[in-house]
Amino acid sequence: MPDAQRPYASPNAAWRGGARDYLGGAALAMGASFMGFDAAARDIGLSLAQSVATTAGMVFVPSQMVMADLARSGAGIVTLIVAVALVSLRLFPMSLALMPLLREGRTERLRFYAGGYVLATTAWAYAMKRCPTLPTDQRLGYFSGAAITNYVVILFSTAIGYQLADAMHPAVTAGLVLFAPLFFLLLFIADVVDRAGRVALATGAVLGPLLFLVDREWSIVATGLIGGTIAFAVHRAGERRGARDG
Amino acid sequence: MGEGSLAILMASAVNYAWRALGVAIGGAADPRHPVILWAGLVTYAMLAGLFVRMIVMPAGALAAVGLDVRIGATAVALAVFLAVRRNALLGTLAGMIALIAATVLAR
């Protein structure tokens, strides 16, 4: 990135900028984690076409894992819907937090629903950091550049990973699975510099594993709600202090 | 095909419903609205919790690797990250290589 604060010359340049930022960082992490998904997909007995179809349809590894696991165990369609709804619930606050930033001052709809479809953690993280510094007509472009590039990368990684899954050394598979969580944690440490954001990351990091011991299904949602609300309280306290002092 | 495809289709639809709901509600909102700021912080907390858990209490292939090796690899990643001007990619690569090397050497 030449200058993180300067806008691009045009919406198209913003698209390329998003694609470049993604390829320079998250592409490897996502490639690795979708190849990691293939190891599980093979264990579960999905075909190559089904593995690629789950990636194309969901763009979200946790939903894909739950779906694949339940389909194998012969669970009913209601169980499947409830389980996937629960695990993909976290896409809602993600989408809710980003869309106002992308859509500010714009009236068309369809492109934003398409954007919601390819939304992934990578493009979310990049856009949340970069878009506030961009003019409103460049934000969707920047996000789309990252998100669509991501979509292409994960489709290919799923297809390639499926062929390699059986030949891979277990240590390499473990390394691939480690890649995404590690990358995102470091990316957040580097990118999230405001105090409230830091509090959200720290409380989430502590609560995530702890609440998982209490209740597996609800732990992620509860972690987000508790950690995010504590961080929000810190943000409001900071605002009040700022208003009083400034 | 058949039942597997139906499962994939249903799961994809449910999965997309949350995204679309975020677009429907969030698309019309002010990015500085307190609820929107709150949703962003909730997401950061959720993701941090998820990713730490994936390392500390993994499932699948990573579960076969000892906790000491996973923590060690994370420490290597963090050290490299801090050493090379907070480069997340280089830090992660170093951590992954450390994990693979430690696992292979231990056998």
Side-chain angles (χ1 to χ4, degrees):
Chain A
M1 234 187 300
D3 184 340
Q5 297 306 311
R6 283 243 312 274
Y8 296 97
S10 68
N12 281 339
W15 201 102
R16 290 191 295 274
R20 229 179 3 250
D21 284 354
Y22 172 81
L23 289 172
L28 264 179
M30 294 324 284
S33 83
F34 279 79
M35 286 171 89
F37 163 72
D38 279 317
R42 280 220 156 183
D43 280 350
I44 287 164
L46 291 189
S47 69
L48 169 64
Q50 286 173 327
S51 291
V52 175
T54 59
T55 296
M58 282 172 254
V59 201
F60 191 54
V61 169
S63 293
Q64 294 172 225
M65 299 289 274
V66 167
M67 195 285 305
D69 191 48
L70 287 176
R72 178 189 56 166
S73 61
I77 206 79
V78 177
T79 312
L80 186 81
I81 289 172
V82 172
V84 173
L86 197 57
V87 74
S88 59
L89 177 61
R90 75 186 85 131
L91 290 166
F92 172 60
M94 194 184 273
S95 175
L96 183 64
L98 178 66
M99 286 303 161
L101 200 59
L102 297 186
R103 199 154 175 246
E104 201 177 16
R106 301 183 61 164
T107 50
E108 74 262 48
R109 284 167 186 228
L110 199 60
R111 295 172 71 190
F112 293 90
Y113 282 99
Y117 178 70
V118 290
L119 172 64
T121 311
T122 44
W124 185 84
Y126 284 122
M128 288 292 282
K129 182 185 178 219
R130 187 69 167 103
C131 285
T133 68
L134 294 179
T136 50
D137 68 333
Q138 294 185 1
R139 293 177 185 175
L140 181 65
Y142 179 86
F143 166 78
S144 306
I148 293 172
T149 310
N150 173 61
Y151 194 77
V152 174
V153 165
I154 62 175
L155 279 185
F156 276 102
S157 327
T158 307
I160 295 165
Y162 191 89
Q163 317 284 358
L164 296 180
D166 277 353
M168 234 167 338
H169 191 286
V172 176
T173 308
L176 291 178
V177 175
L178 177 74
F179 207 110
L182 205 48
F183 175 77
F184 282 118
L185 287 174
L186 295 181
L187 190 72
F188 289 159
I189 295 173
D191 281 359
V192 180
V193 290
D194 63 297
R195 187 139 75 122
R198 286 267 160 107
V199 171
L201 293 181
T203 47
V206 174
L207 288 175
L210 282 182
L211 294 179
F212 187 70
L213 296 173
V214 180
D215 187 313
R216 289 182 171 225
E217 279 182 51
W218 288 96
S219 65
I220 287 298
V221 175
T223 297
L225 288 177
I226 299 170
T229 304
I230 293 173
F232 185 71
V234 169
H235 168 75
R236 291 308 276 244
E239 267 187 347
R240 275 198 299 277
R241 218 176 12 253
R244 201 179 55 223
D245 299 341
Chain B
M1 289 294 129
E3 240 172 74
S5 303
L6 179 70
I8 293 172
L9 213 61
M10 293 298 295
S12 299
V14 172
N15 186 70
Y16 179 68
W18 287 122
R19 302 164 177 267
L21 193 63
V23 181
I25 300 174
D30 183 331
R32 286 160 297 269
H33 191 282
V35 173
I36 302 302
L37 294 175
W38 175 76
L41 293 168
V42 166
T43 308
Y44 277 124
M46 219 161 50
L47 293 174
L50 176 72
F51 294 136
V52 169
R53 194 195 83 203
M54 283 169 74
I55 296 173
V56 183
M57 305 168 177
L62 196 52
V65 177
L67 179 65
D68 50 347
V69 175
R70 282 179 267 132
I71 300 282
T74 305
V76 168
L78 197 61
V80 171
F81 166 76
L82 293 173
V84 289
R85 302 190 317 153
R86 304 190 150 223
N87 187 317
L89 186 61
L90 287 181
T92 308
L93 280 172
M96 185 181 80
I97 291 166
L99 181 112
I100 294 172
T103 310
V104 171
L105 290 178
R107 270 161 211 224

